[in-house]
Amino acid sequence: MILHPVDTILSLVLLSVLFSFGSSRLPGLIKVIAFQGIIVSMVPFFIGHDMTAGGVVFTVATLLIRGIIIPMSIYVAIKKVAIKREVEPIIGFHASMLCGLGLIVAATYISRQLNIPFISNYTLLFPTAIALLATGMFLLIARRNAIAMVLGYIMMENGIYLIGTTISVRARHIVEFGILLDVLAGVMIMAIILQNIKRTFDDVDTANLRTLKE
Amino acid sequence: MVEIVFLAPFIIGIIAFFLPKEISRRLLVGIGAIHLLLSLLLWKNRPEAIFKSYFAVTPEGLLSLLVISLLFFLISIYTVAYLKESEIQHENIFTGSMILFLSTMTMVTLSDHIMVMWIAIEATTLASAPLIYTHRSAASLEATWKYVLICSVGIAMALLGSVLITLSMDIGNVDAPLSFSALVIVAKTLDPMWLKAGFVFILVGYGTKMGLAPMHTWLPDAHSEAPSPASALLSGVLLNCAYLGIFKTNKIMHAAGLNDFSGTILIVFGLMSILAAATFILKQNEYKRMLAYSSIENMGIIAVGTGIGGIAAYGAVICMIHHSLIKSSLFLSSGNILLGYGDRFIKNTGDMVTRMPKTFVAFFSGFAGISGFPPFGIFIGELFIIVGAFKTGHYIAAGIFILSLCVIFAGFANQVMKISFDDSDSNKIIGLKEKASMVWPQYILLLTSLILCFYMPDTLYQTIIDAVTAIGGGFK
């Protein structure tokens, strides 16, 4: 079996997924997000849809926002308020790594079962998308640091984008761009809230955010 | 020229951020009036959109739009008085966000493209986040954080669901625009497996925003921490917007002949919400959180009604309209209580009947309306749902439904009695004069609900029937 170029770059994303399970420091995690953002927005170039000029512009804009602007804004938010750099795990790193491996295996198995006709040429596409989604969920659940949770959300969005752009050509670029702007605005608002959390509690540990119950 | 209804508030909302606060207060009422006028024109003429593939005027959209317009206008009158009484820093952010919030919600009601719908619903989250953080306290910060994160993650699920629906088109070899109205026509040719998967993700996603249990955890926090006019908007109309997303997807499911599948899931989620509300409302000690749980209950009722279909679907739409009218009046009254007693706990209020008589009238009749007393509309809606449940043989669901309603009524009544009639510390000074503009909006909302029970204009009735027929509802 010959490996398609898309699969080659996606295998790097899968590795970065594993890395994000084990990374204990926020700057490292942000770099992983930026890397995934860039790769995921490059995938449409390699998949056989015809690229119009407008399509190229939108893809490049996506790459800029997903790969550079969003990670940078989170990074600046950390720098500005000098937040602690640890992700404060609820589930330990070794256990997380094991979860990650199991998750990738499960993602591969599931996508074999589903057998979607359009992307059967690209062996790793669907597994990677599922893995990104599930890893984002995992970070949301298993990390107490508020920034790690935002990063989890961005990773989920990356996964959905990967599925969305590849299995279907229907969503016109203008709509995709709207979705992207929404995500960008969401991340910006989250960054503002993060700074306020830091100012109010002097920390971004979400254990502080437990006063409202029932 | 449909688009102007949401573009006008969008532009004015952005301008309002930069104006002095006296002017932006007036702008708030002004845009409320203009918006109401535009919505009525839309009702009368039902024009076509300029961007036809993205926006359309649909019966269910028109219903929600009218509710949004009417509520926003009345709430904006209240808000001006409320802002004078309470001290809010950065008032411009508050008024600007209110107007932007109106714009995004209007966009939800008019969008026809699946992805544009998603964009609009996510935009409502973003526009309303600053409203919840208005008081700048640690608790409101926590509520905002939960709201933005949980809703964004939830709505990401809805995006995945929308993508799966496009997949069902590709597999079924369907060539149609990605809009709800086009998909209803070609629904039979869509791949059923992926359509079902898409519906489940969309229900979980928009259900998070709608406040269905077990994804409801952000709702009591957000609704209790936001200033009361914002709570009234969040509870009265934002939840309807999320419901609209589910409703429109359910239309596709009905047209594809999969309404048994979607109905069952809706009933299960609805009953879970009603049960969750019944559990938590009993021991609530804050009145705004109590109202928030009541919203969860009502969203559950609407979901159950939609799931059962037939006459119950008609009941669900009736419940939706009246819940908006009554619940927003209750939240506005709770704003008066908060300003009057200066405290959010039920135990520190009391004797409202003599101390704030005008607010008492609004609050107490609102309570009677929301817990399903005749002659208010919720009673009729719930009756239709129960009759529909028995007619279609959903006996267990009907049993749980009725039992939970009784529990909720008992819990709710207990707390309302405490607020209204309990002896309170007579030295406590009531810090609020009950001005006309702080009670009349509530009265008008309640009166509208009352009038709609006895006399419903023909065009309104026909629009409701048109809307519910598409999901298999109506009187046949």
Side-chain angles (χ1 to χ4, degrees):
Chain A
M1 194 177 89
I2 306 160
L3 214 54
H4 196 276
V6 172
D7 286 335
T8 324
I9 55 170
L10 284 180
S11 63
L12 293 175
V13 174
L14 272 183
L15 278 179
S16 77
V17 163
L18 264 188
F19 182 77
S20 62
F21 276 101
S23 76
S24 64
R25 316 257 307 160
L26 286 171
L29 206 52
I30 294 176
K31 279 176 200 144
V32 170
I33 295 285
F35 173 73
Q36 289 171 354
I38 292 171
I39 299 285
V40 160
S41 28
M42 264 164 46
V43 166
F45 279 125
F46 293 94
I47 288 193
H49 307 320
D50 294 332
M51 271 291 197
T52 56
V56 173
V57 171
F58 278 117
T59 314
V60 172
T62 310
L63 196 145
L64 281 178
I65 294 179
R66 264 183 212 279
I68 295 168
I69 297 177
I70 289 181
M72 275 302 277
S73 60
I74 296 283
Y75 193 76
V76 169
I78 296 186
K79 278 262 170 175
K80 220 177 183 175
V81 293
I83 291 167
K84 259 196 309 191
R85 302 299 179 85
E86 271 73 44
V87 295
E88 293 154 63
I90 294 172
I91 298 172
F93 294 114
H94 290 106
S96 295
M97 283 294 263
L98 204 64
C99 283
L101 278 173
L103 203 143
I104 291 176
V105 172
T108 317
Y109 178 76
I110 290 170
S111 38
R112 287 268 159 140
Q113 296 294 310
L114 289 177
N115 192 24
I116 301 165
F118 310 100
I119 52 171
S120 48
N121 291 333
Y122 318 110
T123 329
L124 281 178
L125 215 154
F126 212 60
T128 314
I130 296 178
L132 280 175
L133 257 173
T135 313
M137 276 296 207
F138 181 87
L139 287 181
L140 278 165
I141 296 163
R143 302 284 182 262
R144 275 205 326 240
N145 183 299
I147 296 178
M149 293 168 88
V150 176
L151 294 175
Y153 168 67
I154 300 170
M155 208 183 278
M156 267 182 71
E157 285 286 347
N158 281 343
I160 295 171
Y161 180 79
L162 188 59
I163 301 182
T165 49
T166 48
I167 61 175
S168 160
V169 281
R170 270 168 214 285
R172 293 257 295 280
H173 293 298
I174 184 94
V175 176
E176 270 170 27
F177 202 64
I179 292 170
L180 194 60
L181 285 185
D182 260 1
V183 172
L184 180 65
V187 171
M188 292 292 180
I189 286 185
M190 285 178 197
I192 294 170
I193 301 175
L194 281 175
Q195 292 179 9
N196 283 307
I197 293 178
K198 167 73 182 169
R199 199 177 305 141
T200 315
F201 298 106
D202 205 37
D203 197 355
V204 285
D205 190 335
T206 46
N208 289 322
L209 302 179
R210 297 252 167 93
T211 48
L212 296 175
K213 276 183 198 151
E214 287 174 358
Chain B
M1 200 54 191
V2 170
E3 286 83 354
I4 195 160
V5 189
F6 62 84
L7 284 179
F10 182 77
I11 295 164
I12 292 179
I14 290 176
I15 295 171
F17 279 111
F18 304 104
L19 291 176
K21 62 183 181 183
E22 283 300 323
I23 301 179
S24 56
R25 279 178 195 172
R26 270 181 221 144
L27 212 56
L28 193 68
V29 181
I31 191 69
I34 294 172
H35 193 269
L36 186 59
L37 196 72
L38 286 173
S39 313
L40 289 174
L41 278 177
L42 215 63
W43 264 81
K44 196 159 158 278
N45 299 328
R46 316 220 169 169
E48 284 214 332
I50 297 173
F51 299 101
K52 258 186 239 164
S53 48
Y54 298 133
F55 301 102
V57 178
T58 53
E60 62 272 17
L62 278 177
L63 283 174
S64 317
L65 181 66
L66 191 63
V67 172
I68 290 175
S69 263
L70 181 68
L71 256 63
F72 188 88
F73 178 59
L74 293 171
I75 290 173
S76 69
I77 295 172
Y78 177 90
T79 308
V80 173
Y82 183 88
L83 287 174
K84 281 181 192 150
E85 294 290 333
S86 61
E87 285 154 25
I88 289 177
Q89 289 178 318
H90 308 290
E91 203 187 289
N92 286 27
I93 298 183
F94 181 77
T95 38
S97 303
M98 285 277 273
I99 302 174
L100 282 185
F101 188 35
L102 171 70
S103 155
T104 52
M105 286 192 296
T106 312
M107 190 170 155
V108 174
T109 61
L110 295 175
S111 52
D112 192 34
H113 194 279
I114 291 185
M115 297 293 176
V116 173
M117 184 86 173
W118 186 88
I119 292 171
I121 291 187
E122 174 67 16
T124 58
T125 312
L126 303 177
S128 52
L131 296 177
I132 299 170
Y133 188 46
T134 305
H135 288 313
R136 317 240 152 189
S137 62
S140 67
L141 184 60
E142 178 182 343
T144 319
W145 170 250
K146 269 191 184 170
Y147 173 62
V148 173
L149 197 73
I150 295 177
C151 284
S152 296
V153 170
I155 296 175
M157 289 291 146
L159 179 61
L160 184 63
S162 311
V163 168
L164 292 181
I165 287 184
T166 67
L167 182 63
S168 81
M169 291 169 72
D170 287 341
I171 291 183
N173 264 328
V174 181
D175 190 30
L178 189 54
S179 63
F180 287 107
S181 49
L183 284 180
V184 168
I185 299 167
V186 295
K188 282 259 188 283
T189 50
L190 298 174
D191 180 69
M193 184 184 89
W194 288 105
L195 186 59
K196 280 183 192 171
F199 176 79
V200 171
F201 276 105
I202 285 182
L203 180 65
V204 170
Y206 294 153
T208 309
K209 194 78 197 271
M210 185 180 162
L212 293 180
M215 299 87 74
H216 67 282
T217 46
W218 62 272
L219 193 145
D221 301 342
H223 288 207
S224 61
E225 291 304 323
S228 297
S231 315
L233 271 186
L234 285 172
S235 183
V237 284
L238 177 64
L239 303 181
N240 295 356
C241 287
Y243 169 68
L244 203 60
I246 296 173
F247 186 96
K248 288 191 172 197
T249 320
N250 198 27
K251 259 164 71 174
I252 305 178
M253 295 296 280
H254 178 72
L258 297 169
N259 46 347
D260 281 348
F261 174 81
S262 63
T264 313
I265 302 181
L266 275 167
I267 293 173
V268 170
F269 271 108
L271 287 178
M272 275 201 290
S273 312
I274 302 175
L275 279 174
T279 324
F280 287 112
I281 216 165
L282 279 178
K283 48 176 185 172
Q284 237 0 277
N285 49 15
E286 293 175 31
Y287 45 86
K288 278 182 86 176
R289 288 181 85 80
M290 175 183 80
L291 296 179
Y293 276 108
S294 159
S295 290
I296 297 175
E297 173 219 352
N298 277 285
M299 288 302 125
I301 291 173
I302 293 169
V304 169
T306 316
I308 292 170
I311 186 172
Y314 179 78
V317 174
I318 294 285
C319 271
M320 182 189 93
I321 295 170
H322 287 277
H323 168 255
S324 298
L325 293 169
I326 298 172
K327 184 53 67 58
S328 54
S329 90
L330 276 169
F331 266 113
L332 295 184
S333 302
S334 82
N336 288 1
I337 302 175
L338 188 62
L339 287 175
Y341 291 89
D343 203 295
R344 61 173 70 218
F345 287 101
I346 293 172
K347 65 174 193 290
N348 295 334
T349 61
D351 204 17
M352 187 166 67
V353 63
T354 54
R355 312 195 84 183
M356 297 171 85
K358 290 176 191 160
T359 310
F360 164 78
V361 172
F363 194 74
F364 202 81
S365 33
F367 152 71
I370 208 75
S371 35
F373 266 89
F376 289 100
I378 301 255
F379 166 74
I380 301 172
E382 283 172 359
L383 193 69
F384 279 143
I385 294 175
I386 293 169
V387 170
F390 280 120
K391 265 169 95 176
T392 48
H394 290 93
Y395 297 113
I396 299 171
I400 300 175
F401 186 84
I402 297 170
L403 190 70
S404 315
L405 287 193
C406 295
V407 172
I408 289 169
F409 170 68
F412 208 144
N414 184 21
Q415 317 286 23
V416 172
M417 294 302 161
K418 277 187 200 157
I419 298 173
S420 308
F421 304 114
D422 259 20
D423 294 335
S424 73
D425 183 3
S426 53
N427 293 325
K428 197 160 186 170
I429 301 154
I430 297 296
L432 180 76
K433 269 175 61 190
E434 296 176 290
K435 281 184 294 190
S437 58
M438 295 192 82
V439 285
W440 272 99
Q442 288 96 302
Y443 291 161
I444 296 173
L445 286 166
L446 292 168
L447 274 176
T448 317
S449 166
L450 212 64
I451 291 168
L452 281 182
C453 296
F454 297 107
Y455 167 72
M456 194 182 280
D458 271 343
T459 105
L460 185 63
Y461 174 76
Q462 199 51 48
T463 313
I464 297 177
I465 291 293
D466 287 348
V468 295
T469 314
I471 57 164
F475 290 101
K476 278 181 217 109

